Amino acid sequence: MIQELSYVGFASPAVDEWRTYGPGLLGAMLAPDGPDGSVRLAVDDIDHRISIHPGPEDEFRYAGWGLANETDLHEFVDALVDRGIAPTWADLDLCRERGVAELAWFTDPWGLRHELTWGKAATPYSFRAGRAMRGGFVTGDQGLGHVVFQVPDLVAANRFYADALGFRLSDRIVSDHFDVRFYHVNGRHHSLALAEAPGHVGFNHLMLEYQSMDDLGKAIDLLRAFDVPTMQTLGRHSNDLMTSTYIGTPSGFQIELGYGGLVVDDLSWTARTYAEPSFWGHRFTRTAMTTRPGILRPVG
Ligand SMILES: [Fe+2]
């Protein structure tokens, strides 16, 4: 089974802006550049979990999913082959670049790339926050955070991600203008969410969770100095109970900065349906309404 969201990769022409945005605003640590000049960020003692590759346009490149060990990865890949998904084993160069022991990748029916891995490189006590912080990021057995994709067909996407890949449904939020499914692979309420966007596929946001509310507050204070727009005001989600705000990035997608997210117990968890995403707050700003945040492309 997939155990965690391990890492994510994007491409962007604004790659160098991440050298100040990542440490100065988010509080992440700048890791050594990748072989192609990619900017890499660490948020804990794992070598790096966020990569921005140089590229001509903003693009979601890959999500890396961690499995417990070698045996689990090979069994999982074999099971996918039986289901008609045939992952490709990566060569040593790519494994080295990602900092993993082994890697097999595939794309979903709409072209989103996923990498299955084990054995990511780590160095104890190596993380130093990029700015003054009270705590670090919530990672450990909850992985990096969560990613939210937009897909043209939520029912088909659920078949792929839940039935074939084993993502466990946490709950749904369904309203007239909103249809989103949330999935867990560990205690984090969701490591993956899928939102229906008819005719489109894309990446909406990456969520990073702070251990201290003060570090979220400090990020909000720093937005003006870094000239970064708020996309959704501070609010609290109805399902994962996360207190968070959504902000712009140099590369088209958004980052949700959160605090206090719910931890679920899979043995007793029952999926619910909610009508609203938030108890309070999370108002869309004018910037969000005019720029349509996220990296979206039409699909046929
Ligand atoms: Fe989120």
Side-chain angles (χ1 to χ4, degrees):
M1 297 295 285
I2 289 170
Q3 302 273 82
E4 64 156 2
L5 174 66
S6 180
Y7 59 87
V8 285
F10 305 89
S12 175
V15 59
D16 282 315
E17 290 179 41
W18 286 82
R19 296 184 193 282
T20 48
Y21 178 95
L25 177 62
L26 302 179
M29 180 172 83
L30 213 50
D33 282 4
D36 62 349
S38 54
V39 171
R40 297 161 145 186
L41 300 174
V43 294
D44 58 12
D45 291 341
I46 302 290
D47 58 351
H48 60 273
R49 289 187 184 267
I50 301 167
S51 298
I52 314 293
H53 299 266
E57 56 186 4
D58 295 333
E59 196 188 339
F60 165 78
R61 282 279 177 90
Y62 50 83
W65 301 96
L67 285 87
N69 54 44
E70 189 168 20
T71 311
D72 279 18
L73 176 61
H74 283 262
E75 281 180 8
F76 193 75
V77 168
D78 288 348
L80 290 187
V81 171
D82 291 343
R83 287 175 180 271
I85 303 164
T88 303
W89 288 100
D91 62 17
L92 205 57
D93 283 347
L94 184 59
C95 292
R96 256 194 219 120
E97 189 181 327
R98 299 286 197 268
V100 298
E102 281 190 292
L103 188 163
W105 63 271
F106 60 90
T107 56
D108 82 356
W110 304 280
L112 298 170
R113 173 170 168 137
H114 297 282
E115 301 182 350
L116 305 166
T117 71
W118 75 275
K120 187 137 171 71
T123 308
Y125 306 110
S126 58
F127 179 68
R128 298 281 176 276
R131 61 166 163 88
M133 290 222 291
R134 192 179 287 282
F137 294 88
V138 176
T139 57
D141 58 12
Q142 294 188 54
L144 168 62
H146 70 236
V147 285
V148 179
F149 296 106
Q150 283 147 306
V151 292
D153 181 343
L154 199 51
V155 172
N158 184 71
R159 217 176 291 133
F160 187 80
Y161 284 92
D163 300 347
L165 296 176
F167 285 88
R168 304 266 302 157
L169 186 69
S170 303
D171 38 50
R172 310 182 299 158
I173 301 178
V174 185
S175 70
D176 292 346
H177 53 282
F178 210 79
D179 196 349
V180 189
R181 285 171 175 249
F182 301 81
Y183 302 89
H184 59 272
V185 292
N186 52 45
R188 188 182 289 287
H189 173 276
H190 60 284
S191 294
L192 168 75
L194 302 170
E196 187 154 272
H200 290 82
V201 63
F203 185 87
N204 183 268
H205 72 265
L206 165 70
M207 192 286 302
L208 301 173
E209 183 177 1
Y210 292 114
Q211 290 174 16
S212 162
M213 183 167 58
D214 294 331
D215 295 331
L216 170 59
K218 198 72 189 171
I220 293 170
D221 274 359
L222 287 167
L223 289 172
R224 188 173 295 181
F226 283 82
D227 197 24
V228 168
T230 302
M231 296 300 185
Q232 288 183 49
T233 59
L234 191 69
R236 192 159 191 231
H237 280 304
S238 54
N239 60 344
D240 71 349
L241 306 181
M242 191 78 79
T243 301
S244 64
T245 186
Y246 291 70
I247 65 171
T249 69
S251 303
F253 64 96
Q254 307 173 89
I255 288 182
E256 178 185 7
L257 292 175
Y259 167 73
L262 186 67
V263 174
V264 303
D265 173 6
D266 193 55
L267 278 177
S268 57
W269 190 258
T270 305
R272 306 292 183 200
T273 300
Y274 298 97
E276 293 292 338
S278 308
F279 293 131
W280 54 267
H282 288 143
R283 304 254 176 261
F284 287 88
T285 61
R286 187 167 299 167
T287 312
M289 298 207 260
T290 51
T291 59
R292 203 180 183 199
I295 303 172
L296 266 186
R297 62 177 172 79
V299 284

